[in-house]
Amino acid sequence: MSYDKYTSPLSERYASKEMQYIFSPEKKFRTWRRLWIALAETEKELGLDITDEQIEELKAHRDDINFEVAKEREKLVRHDVMSHVYAYGVQCPKAKGIIHLGATSCFVGDNTDIILMSEALQLIRVKLVNVIAELAAFADKYKALPTLAFTHFQPAQPTTVGKRATLWTQDFLMDLEDLDYVLGSLKLLGSKGTTGTQASFLELFDGDQETIDKIDPMIAEKMGFSACYPVSGQTYSRKVDTRVMNVVAGIAASAHKMSNDIRLLQHLKEVEEPFEKNQIGSSAMAYKRNPMRSERIASISRYVMIDALNPAITSATQWFERTLDDSANKRISIAEGFLAIDGVLDLCLNVVDGLVVYDKVIEKRLMSELPFMATENIMMDAVKKGGDRQELHERIRKLSMEAGANVKQNGLENNLLELIAADESFGLTLEELTAAMKPSKYTGRAKLQVEKFLRDCVNPVLETNRDLLGVKAEINV
């Protein structure tokens, strides 16, 4: 690590080595050379005067890139693609005359961008599937554990810890659906020339339209894609980048929502993220156990969500067949968006895998509020004993206000059950009322909903992707 110049925290602290490699210069320029080989092979197969010897020479130097030669050349010509064409030609003297034949810079630049985004989405997909698997296991384990639910962060009808986790899981499942759709729809640019008209290939192939129609499909197949975009300017539509980064931003939004809930639960001391033995929660307050990983999820996720505006604005502001004001923005926003979401998902894997549930705290808080939640059931029991529903409703409303005042104004325990037992109009003893305070009676279909959701929605996805499961995250800091 260099201490005398800026280094991106995404590389030093957050993103995995695998994601960093996908957007590394080595990966980029190796992909350029693979594309040049695919182009040369295609042109040879379609009848151009290119020899097997030239192809083999290109393949022999596909991976041993002479970076310094390209770097020095770029200082002279100020053009990265032509610098690497030159550097490749230095290594391949027999083939240098056919490298990049008929192509424009976007042949390597744009096709490589699609390939890298595709590989990055696949890496993200693996981690996303494993986050879903970890959440599913957590939801199943705690599917029947009653907990106080909140609307507006105010106490509401009880749910279960597992049911709450299914809400997070469902968001990530929707992200997986979106990711699969976009990943499955990605196509290469192909080789369409300076304004997308393939005019250079008309010249190379003497106007043979049928032969020219074969170029893009053959290149796509060689590079592992099913097709190329049917039309383009010099570049593929920057709408593609928008679609990709919207998926990434969607994952970030789901992670942010989950991390917020975990942070609030940690404040309530009901659920905590993992906390290592030697971890320091605060430089001043030694007792603190701050939810710093969940906070980091929220922090980086906000960056990703805002970053998705970059390709959207770039897409909207392109001029005609191309301008170059996309390039500098694109090489930052796409790569860093992926590095950031990679770090977010690693954090999600780490946090969900180590969540600690404090069931006694959960029970205590729930029981302190449960008498309020149980008032409708209590009212029904009193009606069965001959009470008047309307009168009982008014009585229980007033008693609830009195009990609430005792809790909020006087700092006392919730004594609603005692107040009801002392009111003869209900005809219920304290023992009868206390016996009715079983949390599981008030969680509705939460447990069943968890089981059904896991069985019908999650497990089929995990079964389809079972070869991807078992990934654990390494957190740097």
Side-chain angles (χ1 to χ4, degrees), residues 333-354:
S333 62
I334 301 297
E336 296 205 344
F338 271 110
L339 264 64
I341 199 63
D342 182 64
V344 166
L345 285 173
D346 279 346
L347 286 163
C348 288
L349 279 169
N350 178 267
V351 167
V352 175
D353 184 44

Side-chain angles (χ1 to χ4, degrees), residues 128 131 135 167-168 171-172 175 248-265 273 291 293-306 340-341 343-345 347-348 351-352:
L128 182 57
V131 169
L135 280 171
L167 304 182
W168 307 331
D171 284 351
F172 285 121
D175 295 325
V248 173
I251 298 170
S254 300
H256 197 305
K257 192 274 191 261
M258 180 182 74
S259 73
N260 277 0
D261 287 352
I262 292 171
R263 291 161 67 191
L264 292 169
L265 289 168
E273 67 174 38
R293 297 176 203 199
S294 295
E295 290 172 322
R296 189 179 300 163
I297 289 171
S299 184
I300 305 175
S301 291
R302 284 202 301 276
Y303 172 82
V304 176
M305 288 185 281
I306 294 300
I341 199 63
V344 166
L345 285 173
L347 286 163
C348 288
V351 167
V352 175

Side-chain angles (χ1 to χ4, degrees), residues 23 123 220 353 361 441 450:
F23 291 99
L123 178 57
D353 184 44
V361 177
K441 289 180 60 177
V450 173

Side-chain angles (χ1 to χ4, degrees), residues 3 28-29 33 48 115 133 168 186 206 253:
Y3 291 95
K28 172 181 174 180
F29 296 126
R33 291 193 172 188
L48 292 189
I115 291 166
W168 307 331
L186 282 180
D206 298 321

Side-chain angles (χ1 to χ4, degrees), residues 360-379:
K360 299 299 183 186
V361 177
I362 290 171
E363 181 182 21
K364 182 179 178 182
R365 176 165 289 106
L366 177 56
M367 294 308 295
S368 71
E369 298 286 348
L370 194 59
F372 295 125
M373 313 300 161
T375 51
E376 185 174 3
N377 286 25
I378 291 171
M379 192 165 56

